[in-house]
Amino acid sequence: MLFETADTAEPSGQGLSTSPLLQNLNPEQFAAVTLPATHALILAGAGSGKTRVLTTRIAWLMQTGQVSPGGILAVTFTNKAAKEMMARLSAMLPVNVRGMWIGTFHGLCNRFLRAHYKLANLPQGFQILDTQDQLSAVKRLCKQFNIDDERFPPKQLVWFIAACKEDGQRAKDVQVRDEEGRKKVEIYALYEEQCQREGVVDFGELMLRSYELLRDNVPVREHYQRRFRHILIDEFQDTNKLQYAWIKMLAGQGEEATRGSAPMPGGSVVAVGDDDQSIYAFRGARVGNMADFVREFNVTHQIKLERNYRSFGNILDSANQLISHNNNRLGKNLRTEAGPGEPVRVYESTSDFAEAQWFVDEVRQLIR
């Protein structure tokens, strides 16, 4: 897998050397911000300024007239990150960022379904269930249908339903292997019916129903493929199967995304992520989405952000050495110009409580 350096990246757009937006970027950040309008993977190490790169790229695309504010879709993983991005954009350009499509997967899908609630078969004022609401709904269902909550604990049923939705599966799509699995699928189906009847959706449903509407409604799909000319995804290593399928649908990639009489060419996708920071496999994240993206989108522009602005050299050297033992890495080595810093100490505690106590003692000593 080949990665560009700042020297090999193609310049694109206008005003590369004169725009104040591009001042104080390091060479790798500059190359990432000024990428041409094509699919790209930015492998961004911890503390390498990826939020700055994403925000500056959006501002640069608008400043150079390559896209209007309405033609950008930027996906973050937390509401805090989305707010930070919008605040930075407001400081960079005189543009109303509140109307832009910048937010989390769930926030953007909520906005999408509010706009198309009839097509999504939802009431106009549909309510969103949080985790506790969802658990209460499953408990109510178990009581109504006399389901043994010791054999089928409600919390585990919630996890099962969420995992199915993250895989893009309705109850009818789930493969049943045994009697326990059959019962769980039956409960999933009952839960779906109850939510539809009551006009409520959980977080997984926001994603799944948005994806299904894009997949099944050609005019809606082509409208958004035409609209979003630049799609930027943060924390790409944390995306799950359904989220990646949703991105492909909007970008016009794959057989399902191009069905119709006049399939639309999708916009460019810039994915920013770090396979070394993939820690959410337990909740459905697929670090393999990064390699799939490179292959399926025929990505030719790949840039590594390896200069770290957060830590000293000794910490980075230790982290680089430790992570080097991981298999199937895309590969990078963080570096810094901040000097070596203090030597790294290793402390092994006897328990989680002892570890917490040691940490508190260290903090107390540091603030004396």
Side-chain angles (χ1 to χ4, degrees):
M1 183 178 291
L2 297 176
F3 281 83
E4 296 179 10
T5 66
D7 297 326
T8 61
E10 289 182 27
S12 68
Q14 304 85 11
L16 286 180
S17 59
T18 58
S19 172
L21 293 174
L22 305 179
Q23 293 175 3
N24 302 318
L25 295 176
N26 69 37
E28 292 80 15
Q29 292 173 334
F30 181 94
V33 167
T34 59
L35 279 164
T38 186
H39 306 311
L41 174 65
I42 300 173
L43 195 60
S48 61
K50 66 180 178 62
T51 302
R52 181 184 185 189
V53 166
L54 274 172
T55 309
T56 307
R57 176 160 177 80
I58 293 171
W60 181 78
L61 287 169
M62 291 191 292
Q63 186 187 64
T64 54
Q66 297 182 60
V67 68
S68 66
I72 288 173
L73 177 71
V75 188
T76 66
F77 256 78
T78 65
N79 290 318
K80 179 182 177 182
K83 289 176 182 177
E84 181 183 354
M85 186 176 289
M86 288 192 284
R88 290 192 186 189
L89 274 174
S90 294
M92 289 178 175
L93 293 176
V95 60
N96 178 17
V97 298
R98 296 195 64 82
M100 294 179 67
W101 285 69
I102 299 175
T104 63
F105 279 103
H106 295 127
L108 293 170
C109 286
N110 178 38
R111 179 174 175 178
F112 173 78
L113 291 176
R114 299 285 176 193
H116 304 287
Y117 67 93
K118 287 184 180 179
L119 293 174
N121 194 25
L122 288 169
Q124 184 173 9
F126 67 84
Q127 300 295 307
I128 300 174
L129 302 178
D130 62 21
T131 305
Q132 192 56 48
D133 293 332
Q134 190 180 8
L135 181 60
S136 298
V138 170
K139 285 181 177 178
R140 184 156 44 91
L141 196 68
C142 290
K143 186 175 182 180
Q144 180 183 351
F145 290 94
N146 297 315
I147 296 167
D148 185 351
D149 60 4
E150 290 190 1
R151 185 182 175 194
F152 298 100
K155 189 169 286 188
Q156 291 185 16
L157 292 173
V158 168
W159 295 339
F160 172 77
I161 292 169
C164 290
K165 291 187 177 185
E166 286 171 356
D167 267 350
Q169 293 183 315
R170 291 290 179 194
K172 61 181 176 58
D173 303 318
V174 180
Q175 187 175 0
V176 175
R177 293 184 174 86
D178 52 34
E179 181 59 27
E180 181 178 330
R182 186 196 64 77
K183 188 63 177 177
K184 285 182 177 179
V185 169
E186 180 184 318
I187 295 168
Y188 179 15
L190 291 171
Y191 171 79
E192 281 189 302
E193 292 171 6
Q194 176 176 285
C195 288
Q196 185 64 34
R197 189 168 56 248
E198 297 177 355
V200 297
V201 298
D202 56 38
F203 290 121
E205 188 68 21
L206 288 172
M207 280 291 329
L208 183 53
R209 200 166 294 214
S210 295
Y211 168 77
E212 290 173 339
L213 180 53
L214 288 168
R215 180 194 64 195
D216 300 335
N217 192 301
V218 174
V220 170
R221 180 174 71 243
E222 291 184 349
H223 166 77
Y224 286 98
Q225 288 175 347
R226 188 182 301 111
R227 173 174 185 162
F228 296 130
R229 306 316 302 152
H230 290 271
I231 301 171
L232 301 96
I233 316 292
D234 194 11
E235 306 290 4
F236 198 77
Q237 77 279 355
D238 293 333
T239 54
N240 60 37
K241 181 179 179 180
L242 180 60
Q243 288 165 342
Y244 180 51
W246 181 82
I247 294 165
K248 289 172 66 177
M249 196 65 65
L250 286 170
Q253 290 290 321
E255 185 178 337
E256 289 187 329
T258 54
R259 286 183 305 185
S261 57
M264 287 297 304
S268 67
V269 177
V270 172
V272 180
D274 182 5
D275 54 332
D276 291 341
Q277 296 185 64
S278 179
I279 59 173
Y280 290 114
F282 69 92
R283 68 179 191 192
R286 290 185 69 253
V287 68
N289 284 349
M290 297 182 77
D292 290 346
F293 169 67
V294 171
R295 184 183 69 257
E296 295 175 0
F297 283 68
N298 193 26
V299 172
T300 56
H301 292 273
Q302 302 178 48
I303 295 174
K304 294 180 182 181
L305 302 182
E306 296 179 299
R307 181 177 173 185
N308 179 282
Y309 294 87
R310 186 182 298 162
S311 304
F312 288 105
N314 286 332
I315 292 175
L316 296 180
D317 291 343
S318 300
N320 286 334
Q321 180 62 33
L322 185 63
I323 202 70
S324 68
H325 297 287
N326 279 20
N327 296 323
N328 302 319
R329 293 177 67 224
L330 294 174
K332 69 181 181 310
N333 275 292
L334 295 178
R335 65 183 189 278
T336 183
E337 297 180 8
E342 294 184 16
V344 172
R345 291 182 293 154
V346 178
Y347 173 77
E348 184 177 357
S349 59
T350 56
S351 68
D352 55 350
F353 180 81
E355 180 181 307
Q357 187 60 55
W358 174 84
F359 184 81
V360 169
D361 292 341
E362 285 288 308
V363 171
R364 283 175 174 164
Q365 288 184 20
L366 289 170
I367 61 177
R368 280 176 183 170

